[in-house]
Amino acid sequence: GDSVTQMEGPVTLSEEAFLTINCTYTATGYPSLFWYVQYPGEGLQLLLKATKADDKGSNKGFEATYRKETTSFHLEKGSVQVSDSAVYFCALTQYNFNKFYFGSGTKLNVKP
Amino acid sequence: ETGVTQSPTHLIKTRGQQVTLRCSSQSGHNTVSWYQQALGQGPQFIFQYYREEENGRGNFPPRFSGLQFPNYSSELNVNALELDDSALYLCASSKGTSGGGDTGELFFGEGSRLTVL
């Protein structure tokens, strides 16, 4: 069945460091891929998405590229800020957007 | 624009009891999905409702049931509670004919934290 695997956390970085959070997936067909973020005390919210191979999603300085050949959708940011501290979830869904499969989440701590 | 609201935010039940969780969807959204998030895990899909009909179900037993009302709000009911049902229950709304609607985006509430003793 469909599934998502992401790197375990927590990830601790200093402000302005480069961030990579790895995400790989298993799916039939051509899923859409997402990164959701959960800030402390808030609900999950969409960070970025990509709906087909080689698409790059981007938002708030974060980027992720849909790599079908490696079944990956790694999240990157060139310079993290303290305000980026949150839990990040990689997710996929099939064409009908019915059921989303989420990874287990990666907690990011950014220190000043 | 009013976001997704869930109630109650926290509750404690004992094994064997029943619980009802409620969700008001975001304005303009006609689809509601429910997810269970155990501590340290990602959300797991329970089921989805579209225009008052169940539109997909995850790997959860029948004692997990739901409803969607004409105003698109929704309830999640869990009967015969077990200790493993302790989790954060998330409601997500979206618009369109499918769960994510036109954009594939789910709008989540902050969740209802259920503890089963």
Side-chain angles (χ1 to χ4, degrees):
Chain A
D2 295 355
S3 66
V4 173
T5 302
Q6 59 182 107
M7 63 187 287
E8 291 189 14
V11 174
T12 301
L13 297 173
S14 297
E15 208 165 21
E16 299 183 2
F18 183 84
L19 169 71
T20 300
I21 299 178
N22 291 335
C23 170
T24 57
Y25 68 90
T26 300
T28 55
Y30 303 93
S32 295
L33 302 175
F34 301 77
W35 278 99
Y36 276 81
V37 59
Q38 186 173 32
Y39 297 104
E42 299 183 15
L44 278 80
Q45 55 187 272
L46 179 65
L47 180 60
L48 54 84
K49 68 173 186 177
T51 57
K52 61 182 187 295
D54 299 327
D55 268 2
K56 177 185 284 188
S58 62
N59 186 26
K60 299 181 181 180
F62 290 89
E63 292 183 341
T65 302
Y66 188 164
R67 302 285 189 199
K68 188 163 178 64
E69 64 275 14
T70 55
T71 62
S72 65
F73 193 54
H74 304 321
L75 182 68
E76 297 183 335
K77 187 175 185 182
S79 176
V80 294
Q81 306 299 312
V82 172
S83 57
D84 294 327
S85 297
V87 182
Y88 293 81
F89 293 91
C90 185
L92 71 81
T93 188
Q94 295 290 357
Y95 70 96
N96 60 359
F97 298 118
N98 178 314
K99 175 179 182 179
F100 281 69
Y101 297 85
F102 286 86
S104 56
T106 302
K107 185 173 184 178
L108 171 65
N109 296 314
V110 180
K111 297 185 174 181
Chain B
E1 187 176 73
T2 305
V4 177
T5 58
Q6 294 186 240
S7 63
T9 54
H10 295 82
L11 69 166
I12 299 173
K13 293 285 188 178
T14 56
R15 262 187 316 176
Q17 285 189 312
Q18 178 265 344
V19 68
T20 297
L21 308 178
R22 295 178 175 82
C23 171
S24 293
S25 59
Q26 183 162 314
S27 176
H29 288 184
N30 56 18
T31 302
V32 171
S33 303
W34 286 92
Y35 288 80
Q36 181 195 66
Q37 186 178 12
L39 198 60
Q41 300 297 315
Q44 299 287 317
F45 177 71
I46 302 175
F47 42 58
Q48 181 189 90
Y49 280 84
Y50 168 65
R51 291 186 175 178
E52 303 179 57
E53 297 289 330
E54 188 177 287
N55 185 41
R57 188 179 182 91
N59 189 27
F60 281 81
R63 58 191 185 83
F64 285 77
S65 63
L67 284 173
Q68 187 179 31
F69 299 99
N71 66 354
Y72 304 128
S73 66
S74 178
E75 287 183 353
L76 164 65
N77 299 289
V78 186
N79 293 322
L81 283 168
E82 301 178 0
L83 297 180
D84 285 348
D85 295 333
S86 295
L88 181 68
Y89 288 86
L90 298 170
C91 171
S93 74
S94 52
K95 60 181 178 181
T97 55
S98 300
D102 297 333
T103 65
E105 180 174 359
L106 298 177
F107 293 80
F108 283 88
E110 294 185 23
S112 294
R113 171 81 57 192
L114 171 65
T115 301
V116 182
L117 302 177

